[in-house]
PDB file of all heavy atoms in Angstrom:
ATOM      1  N   ALA A   5      96.676  98.708 115.386  1.00 90.00           N
ATOM      2  CA  ALA A   5      97.694  98.080 114.542  1.00 90.00           C
ATOM      3  C   ALA A   5      99.088  98.174 115.162  1.00 90.00           C
ATOM      4  O   ALA A   5      99.432  99.163 115.810  1.00 90.00           O
ATOM      5  CB  ALA A   5      97.703  98.716 113.159  1.00 90.00           C
ATOM      6  N   GLN A   6      99.848  97.110 114.976  1.00 94.00           N
ATOM      7  CA  GLN A   6     101.232  97.051 115.446  1.00 94.00           C
ATOM      8  C   GLN A   6     102.090  96.690 114.247  1.00 94.00           C
ATOM      9  O   GLN A   6     101.880  95.660 113.615  1.00 94.00           O
ATOM     10  CB  GLN A   6     101.360  95.989 116.524  1.00 94.00           C
ATOM     11  CG  GLN A   6     102.778  95.762 116.976  1.00 94.00           C
ATOM     12  CD  GLN A   6     102.847  94.707 118.080  1.00 94.00           C
ATOM     13  OE1 GLN A   6     101.926  94.550 118.865  1.00 94.00           O
ATOM     14  NE2 GLN A   6     103.936  93.981 118.113  1.00 94.00           N
ATOM     15  N   ILE A   7     103.055  97.532 113.922  1.00 96.00           N
ATOM     16  CA  ILE A   7     103.935  97.303 112.777  1.00 96.00           C
ATOM     17  C   ILE A   7     105.361  97.175 113.286  1.00 96.00           C
ATOM     18  O   ILE A   7     105.870  98.070 113.949  1.00 96.00           O
ATOM     19  CB  ILE A   7     103.830  98.425 111.726  1.00 96.00           C
ATOM     20  CG1 ILE A   7     102.369  98.577 111.262  1.00 96.00           C
ATOM     21  CG2 ILE A   7     104.709  98.126 110.538  1.00 96.00           C
ATOM     22  CD1 ILE A   7     101.681  99.736 111.821  1.00 96.00           C
ATOM     23  N   SER A   8     105.980  96.029 112.986  1.00 97.00           N
ATOM     24  CA  SER A   8     107.360  95.758 113.395  1.00 97.00           C
ATOM     25  C   SER A   8     108.247  95.788 112.162  1.00 97.00           C
ATOM     26  O   SER A   8     107.954  95.109 111.171  1.00 97.00           O
ATOM     27  CB  SER A   8     107.455  94.380 114.056  1.00 97.00           C
ATOM     28  OG  SER A   8     106.603  94.315 115.166  1.00 97.00           O
ATOM     29  N   TYR A   9     109.315  96.551 112.214  1.00 97.00           N
ATOM     30  CA  TYR A   9     110.266  96.667 111.112  1.00 97.00           C
ATOM     31  C   TYR A   9     111.596  96.051 111.529  1.00 97.00           C
ATOM     32  O   TYR A   9     112.131  96.385 112.572  1.00 97.00           O
ATOM     33  CB  TYR A   9     110.508  98.140 110.743  1.00 97.00           C
ATOM     34  CG  TYR A   9     109.274  98.882 110.321  1.00 97.00           C
ATOM     35  CD1 TYR A   9     108.523  99.612 111.242  1.00 97.00           C
ATOM     36  CD2 TYR A   9     108.852  98.868 109.005  1.00 97.00           C
ATOM     37  CE1 TYR A   9     107.392 100.298 110.868  1.00 97.00           C
ATOM     38  CE2 TYR A   9     107.715  99.563 108.618  1.00 97.00           C
ATOM     39  CZ  TYR A   9     106.987 100.267 109.549  1.00 97.00           C
ATOM     40  OH  TYR A   9     105.863 100.957 109.175  1.00 97.00           O
ATOM     41  N   ASP A  10     112.126  95.158 110.704  1.00 97.00           N
ATOM     42  CA  ASP A  10     113.469  94.615 110.897  1.00 97.00           C
ATOM     43  C   ASP A  10     114.352  95.331 109.883  1.00 97.00           C
ATOM     44  O   ASP A  10     114.318  95.037 108.688  1.00 97.00           O
ATOM     45  CB  ASP A  10     113.480  93.105 110.673  1.00 97.00           C
ATOM     46  CG  ASP A  10     114.820  92.477 110.998  1.00 97.00           C
ATOM     47  OD1 ASP A  10     115.862  93.131 110.769  1.00 97.00           O
ATOM     48  OD2 ASP A  10     114.824  91.327 111.457  1.00 97.00           O
ATOM     49  N   LEU A  11     115.125  96.291 110.344  1.00 97.00           N
ATOM     50  CA  LEU A  11     115.901  97.145 109.441  1.00 97.00           C
ATOM     51  C   LEU A  11     117.064  96.401 108.793  1.00 97.00           C
ATOM     52  O   LEU A  11     117.461  96.729 107.679  1.00 97.00           O
ATOM     53  CB  LEU A  11     116.410  98.368 110.202  1.00 97.00           C
ATOM     54  CG  LEU A  11     115.316  99.218 110.861  1.00 97.00           C
ATOM     55  CD1 LEU A  11     115.926 100.326 111.690  1.00 97.00           C
ATOM     56  CD2 LEU A  11     114.365  99.771 109.823  1.00 97.00           C
ATOM     57  N   GLN A  12     117.611  95.390 109.471  1.00 94.00           N
ATOM     58  CA  GLN A  12     118.738  94.652 108.907  1.00 94.00           C
ATOM     59  C   GLN A  12     118.286  93.655 107.855  1.00 94.00           C
ATOM     60  O   GLN A  12     118.997  93.392 106.893  1.00 94.00           O
ATOM     61  CB  GLN A  12     119.530  93.977 110.020  1.00 94.00           C
ATOM     62  CG  GLN A  12     120.181  94.981 110.951  1.00 94.00           C
ATOM     63  CD  GLN A  12     120.879  94.349 112.141  1.00 94.00           C
ATOM     64  OE1 GLN A  12     120.967  93.143 112.266  1.00 94.00           O
ATOM     65  NE2 GLN A  12     121.381  95.192 113.034  1.00 94.00           N
ATOM     66  N   ALA A  13     117.097  93.085 108.017  1.00 96.00           N
ATOM     67  CA  ALA A  13     116.583  92.116 107.047  1.00 96.00           C
ATOM     68  C   ALA A  13     115.692  92.770 105.995  1.00 96.00           C
ATOM     69  O   ALA A  13     115.239  92.099 105.077  1.00 96.00           O
ATOM     70  CB  ALA A  13     115.793  91.030 107.771  1.00 96.00           C
ATOM     71  N   SER A  14     115.434  94.064 106.115  1.00 96.00           N
ATOM     72  CA  SER A  14     114.530  94.780 105.211  1.00 96.00           C
ATOM     73  C   SER A  14     113.173  94.090 105.134  1.00 96.00           C
ATOM     74  O   SER A  14     112.666  93.786 104.058  1.00 96.00           O
ATOM     75  CB  SER A  14     115.141  94.928 103.818  1.00 96.00           C
ATOM     76  OG  SER A  14     116.316  95.683 103.863  1.00 96.00           O
ATOM     77  N   ALA A  15     112.589  93.835 106.291  1.00 97.00           N
ATOM     78  CA  ALA A  15     111.297  93.154 106.364  1.00 97.00           C
ATOM     79  C   ALA A  15     110.423  93.847 107.403  1.00 97.00           C
ATOM     80  O   ALA A  15     110.913  94.555 108.270  1.00 97.00           O
ATOM     81  CB  ALA A  15     111.504  91.694 106.744  1.00 97.00           C
ATOM     82  N   TYR A  16     109.123  93.621 107.270  1.00 96.00           N
ATOM     83  CA  TYR A  16     108.210  94.151 108.272  1.00 96.00           C
ATOM     84  C   TYR A  16     107.063  93.184 108.481  1.00 96.00           C
ATOM     85  O   TYR A  16     106.813  92.304 107.665  1.00 96.00           O
ATOM     86  CB  TYR A  16     107.678  95.534 107.886  1.00 96.00           C
ATOM     87  CG  TYR A  16     106.689  95.521 106.756  1.00 96.00           C
ATOM     88  CD1 TYR A  16     105.321  95.467 107.023  1.00 96.00           C
ATOM     89  CD2 TYR A  16     107.102  95.568 105.433  1.00 96.00           C
ATOM     90  CE1 TYR A  16     104.409  95.440 105.991  1.00 96.00           C
ATOM     91  CE2 TYR A  16     106.197  95.555 104.401  1.00 96.00           C
ATOM     92  CZ  TYR A  16     104.850  95.496 104.681  1.00 96.00           C
ATOM     93  OH  TYR A  16     103.939  95.468 103.654  1.00 96.00           O
ATOM     94  N   LEU A  17     106.367  93.352 109.600  1.00 95.00           N
ATOM     95  CA  LEU A  17     105.216  92.527 109.936  1.00 95.00           C
ATOM     96  C   LEU A  17     104.164  93.441 110.543  1.00 95.00           C
ATOM     97  O   LEU A  17     104.463  94.235 111.441  1.00 95.00           O
ATOM     98  CB  LEU A  17     105.612  91.449 110.956  1.00 95.00           C
ATOM     99  CG  LEU A  17     104.486  90.580 111.504  1.00 95.00           C
ATOM    100  CD1 LEU A  17     103.905  89.699 110.400  1.00 95.00           C
ATOM    101  CD2 LEU A  17     104.992  89.727 112.645  1.00 95.00           C
ATOM    102  N   ALA A  18     102.951  93.353 110.022  1.00 94.00           N
ATOM    103  CA  ALA A  18     101.843  94.153 110.557  1.00 94.00           C
ATOM    104  C   ALA A  18     100.851  93.222 111.232  1.00 94.00           C
ATOM    105  O   ALA A  18     100.471  92.198 110.673  1.00 94.00           O
ATOM    106  CB  ALA A  18     101.165  94.936 109.440  1.00 94.00           C
ATOM    107  N   GLY A  19     100.447  93.572 112.429  1.00 90.00           N
ATOM    108  CA  GLY A  19      99.481  92.777 113.177  1.00 90.00           C
ATOM    109  C   GLY A  19      98.405  93.654 113.781  1.00 90.00           C
ATOM    110  O   GLY A  19      98.515  94.878 113.799  1.00 90.00           O
ATOM    111  N   ARG A  20      97.363  93.041 114.268  1.00 84.00           N
ATOM    112  CA  ARG A  20      96.215  93.731 114.856  1.00 84.00           C
ATOM    113  C   ARG A  20      95.591  94.743 113.908  1.00 84.00           C
ATOM    114  O   ARG A  20      95.158  95.825 114.308  1.00 84.00           O
ATOM    115  CB  ARG A  20      96.585  94.420 116.159  1.00 84.00           C
ATOM    116  CG  ARG A  20      96.741  93.467 117.315  1.00 84.00           C
ATOM    117  CD  ARG A  20      96.774  94.210 118.605  1.00 84.00           C
ATOM    118  NE  ARG A  20      98.149  94.586 118.863  1.00 84.00           N
ATOM    119  CZ  ARG A  20      98.550  95.196 119.945  1.00 84.00           C
ATOM    120  NH1 ARG A  20      97.702  95.532 120.864  1.00 84.00           N
ATOM    121  NH2 ARG A  20      99.809  95.485 120.125  1.00 84.00           N
ATOM    122  N   VAL A  21      95.544  94.401 112.629  1.00 83.00           N
ATOM    123  CA  VAL A  21      94.925  95.275 111.638  1.00 83.00           C
ATOM    124  C   VAL A  21      93.435  94.957 111.628  1.00 83.00           C
ATOM    125  O   VAL A  21      93.036  93.843 111.299  1.00 83.00           O
ATOM    126  CB  VAL A  21      95.553  95.064 110.243  1.00 83.00           C
ATOM    127  CG1 VAL A  21      94.928  95.979 109.219  1.00 83.00           C
ATOM    128  CG2 VAL A  21      97.056  95.285 110.323  1.00 83.00           C
ATOM    129  N   LEU A  22      92.610  95.899 112.017  1.00 75.00           N
ATOM    130  CA  LEU A  22      91.187  95.646 112.241  1.00 75.00           C
ATOM    131  C   LEU A  22      90.278  96.300 111.214  1.00 75.00           C
ATOM    132  O   LEU A  22      89.105  96.507 111.476  1.00 75.00           O
ATOM    133  CB  LEU A  22      90.799  96.135 113.639  1.00 75.00           C
ATOM    134  CG  LEU A  22      91.594  95.542 114.798  1.00 75.00           C
ATOM    135  CD1 LEU A  22      91.189  96.196 116.104  1.00 75.00           C
ATOM    136  CD2 LEU A  22      91.396  94.052 114.868  1.00 75.00           C
ATOM    137  N   ASN A  23      90.765  96.615 110.040  1.00 72.00           N
ATOM    138  CA  ASN A  23      89.968  97.361 109.065  1.00 72.00           C
ATOM    139  C   ASN A  23      88.705  96.640 108.624  1.00 72.00           C
ATOM    140  O   ASN A  23      87.712  97.270 108.297  1.00 72.00           O
ATOM    141  CB  ASN A  23      90.809  97.688 107.838  1.00 72.00           C
ATOM    142  CG  ASN A  23      91.902  98.666 108.161  1.00 72.00           C
ATOM    143  OD1 ASN A  23      91.906  99.267 109.222  1.00 72.00           O
ATOM    144  ND2 ASN A  23      92.841  98.828 107.254  1.00 72.00           N
ATOM    145  N   GLU A  24      88.714  95.317 108.570  1.00 73.00           N
ATOM    146  CA  GLU A  24      87.571  94.570 108.068  1.00 73.00           C
ATOM    147  C   GLU A  24      86.670  94.041 109.180  1.00 73.00           C
ATOM    148  O   GLU A  24      85.726  93.302 108.905  1.00 73.00           O
ATOM    149  CB  GLU A  24      88.062  93.392 107.208  1.00 73.00           C
ATOM    150  CG  GLU A  24      88.908  93.807 106.006  1.00 73.00           C
ATOM    151  CD  GLU A  24      88.138  94.664 105.013  1.00 73.00           C
ATOM    152  OE1 GLU A  24      86.933  94.411 104.810  1.00 73.00           O
ATOM    153  OE2 GLU A  24      88.729  95.595 104.439  1.00 73.00           O
ATOM    154  N   GLN A  25      86.935  94.367 110.411  1.00 71.00           N
ATOM    155  CA  GLN A  25      86.135  93.848 111.521  1.00 71.00           C
ATOM    156  C   GLN A  25      85.242  94.931 112.094  1.00 71.00           C
ATOM    157  O   GLN A  25      85.581  96.115 112.061  1.00 71.00           O
ATOM    158  CB  GLN A  25      87.049  93.317 112.627  1.00 71.00           C
ATOM    159  CG  GLN A  25      87.852  92.121 112.198  1.00 71.00           C
ATOM    160  CD  GLN A  25      88.775  91.647 113.319  1.00 71.00           C
ATOM    161  OE1 GLN A  25      88.926  92.310 114.330  1.00 71.00           O
ATOM    162  NE2 GLN A  25      89.383  90.496 113.134  1.00 71.00           N
ATOM    163  N   ARG A  26      84.107  94.491 112.628  1.00 74.00           N
ATOM    164  CA  ARG A  26      83.220  95.438 113.304  1.00 74.00           C
ATOM    165  C   ARG A  26      83.866  95.875 114.617  1.00 74.00           C
ATOM    166  O   ARG A  26      84.575  95.094 115.250  1.00 74.00           O
ATOM    167  CB  ARG A  26      81.881  94.782 113.600  1.00 74.00           C
ATOM    168  CG  ARG A  26      81.093  94.469 112.365  1.00 74.00           C
ATOM    169  CD  ARG A  26      79.706  93.980 112.721  1.00 74.00           C
ATOM    170  NE  ARG A  26      79.686  93.199 113.943  1.00 74.00           N
ATOM    171  CZ  ARG A  26      78.876  92.189 114.181  1.00 74.00           C
ATOM    172  NH1 ARG A  26      78.021  91.823 113.272  1.00 74.00           N
ATOM    173  NH2 ARG A  26      78.908  91.543 115.326  1.00 74.00           N
ATOM    174  N   PRO A  27      83.587  97.085 115.056  1.00 70.00           N
ATOM    175  CA  PRO A  27      84.139  97.526 116.343  1.00 70.00           C
ATOM    176  C   PRO A  27      83.584  96.684 117.486  1.00 70.00           C
ATOM    177  O   PRO A  27      82.447  96.206 117.430  1.00 70.00           O
ATOM    178  CB  PRO A  27      83.699  98.981 116.458  1.00 70.00           C
ATOM    179  CG  PRO A  27      82.984  99.328 115.216  1.00 70.00           C
ATOM    180  CD  PRO A  27      82.817  98.106 114.392  1.00 70.00           C
ATOM    181  N   ALA A  28      84.364  96.519 118.516  1.00 71.00           N
ATOM    182  CA  ALA A  28      83.911  95.787 119.695  1.00 71.00           C
ATOM    183  C   ALA A  28      82.840  96.592 120.411  1.00 71.00           C
ATOM    184  O   ALA A  28      82.863  97.825 120.430  1.00 71.00           O
ATOM    185  CB  ALA A  28      85.089  95.535 120.631  1.00 71.00           C
ATOM    186  N   THR A  29      81.877  95.887 120.999  1.00 74.00           N
ATOM    187  CA  THR A  29      80.841  96.553 121.791  1.00 74.00           C
ATOM    188  C   THR A  29      81.034  96.148 123.246  1.00 74.00           C
ATOM    189  O   THR A  29      81.084  94.969 123.573  1.00 74.00           O
ATOM    190  CB  THR A  29      79.428  96.152 121.318  1.00 74.00           C
ATOM    191  OG1 THR A  29      79.329  94.727 121.330  1.00 74.00           O
ATOM    192  CG2 THR A  29      79.163  96.658 119.910  1.00 74.00           C
ATOM    193  N   PHE A  30      81.150  97.122 124.086  1.00 73.00           N
ATOM    194  CA  PHE A  30      81.433  96.882 125.494  1.00 73.00           C
ATOM    195  C   PHE A  30      80.222  97.114 126.392  1.00 73.00           C
ATOM    196  O   PHE A  30      80.310  96.947 127.595  1.00 73.00           O
ATOM    197  CB  PHE A  30      82.585  97.774 125.955  1.00 73.00           C
ATOM    198  CG  PHE A  30      83.870  97.502 125.235  1.00 73.00           C
ATOM    199  CD1 PHE A  30      84.295  98.325 124.221  1.00 73.00           C
ATOM    200  CD2 PHE A  30      84.628  96.400 125.567  1.00 73.00           C
ATOM    201  CE1 PHE A  30      85.481  98.072 123.556  1.00 73.00           C
ATOM    202  CE2 PHE A  30      85.816  96.130 124.913  1.00 73.00           C
ATOM    203  CZ  PHE A  30      86.236  96.972 123.901  1.00 73.00           C
ATOM    204  N   ASP A  31      79.097  97.491 125.807  1.00 78.00           N
ATOM    205  CA  ASP A  31      77.932  97.810 126.633  1.00 78.00           C
ATOM    206  C   ASP A  31      76.849  96.731 126.565  1.00 78.00           C
ATOM    207  O   ASP A  31      75.694  96.997 126.836  1.00 78.00           O
ATOM    208  CB  ASP A  31      77.367  99.167 126.234  1.00 78.00           C
ATOM    209  CG  ASP A  31      76.942  99.232 124.776  1.00 78.00           C
ATOM    210  OD1 ASP A  31      77.301  98.325 124.003  1.00 78.00           O
ATOM    211  OD2 ASP A  31      76.251 100.200 124.413  1.00 78.00           O
ATOM    212  N   GLN A  32      77.186  95.498 126.212  1.00 80.00           N
ATOM    213  CA  GLN A  32      76.216  94.414 126.158  1.00 80.00           C
ATOM    214  C   GLN A  32      75.988  93.839 127.550  1.00 80.00           C
ATOM    215  O   GLN A  32      76.849  93.900 128.418  1.00 80.00           O
ATOM    216  CB  GLN A  32      76.710  93.300 125.232  1.00 80.00           C
ATOM    217  CG  GLN A  32      76.803  93.704 123.787  1.00 80.00           C
ATOM    218  CD  GLN A  32      77.301  92.551 122.921  1.00 80.00           C
ATOM    219  OE1 GLN A  32      77.803  91.561 123.417  1.00 80.00           O
ATOM    220  NE2 GLN A  32      77.149  92.699 121.619  1.00 80.00           N
ATOM    221  N   GLU A  33      74.821  93.237 127.710  1.00 85.00           N
ATOM    222  CA  GLU A  33      74.507  92.558 128.962  1.00 85.00           C
ATOM    223  C   GLU A  33      75.350  91.290 129.061  1.00 85.00           C
ATOM    224  O   GLU A  33      75.603  90.637 128.045  1.00 85.00           O
ATOM    225  CB  GLU A  33      73.022  92.188 128.995  1.00 85.00           C
ATOM    226  CG  GLU A  33      72.102  93.393 129.126  1.00 85.00           C
ATOM    227  CD  GLU A  33      72.268  94.104 130.458  1.00 85.00           C
ATOM    228  OE1 GLU A  33      72.414  93.418 131.486  1.00 85.00           O
ATOM    229  OE2 GLU A  33      72.250  95.350 130.460  1.00 85.00           O
TER     230      GLU A  33
END
């Protein structure tokens, strides 16, 4: 997850939130 906070605008943006996705598998053929 990447969370960006804009302190002057009192806003934030969260990205790469993977809670609902299956983990990646790197050992496949």
Side-chain angles (χ1 to χ4, degrees):
Q6 174 179 330
I7 303 104
S8 302
Y9 301 93
D10 186 326
L11 303 175
Q12 295 175 4
S14 298
Y16 72 94
L17 175 67
R20 285 194 272 183
V21 181
L22 304 175
N23 293 348
E24 301 297 323
Q25 295 179 351
R26 293 187 326 213
T29 54
F30 298 102
D31 59 347
Q32 294 180 346
E33 290 294 320

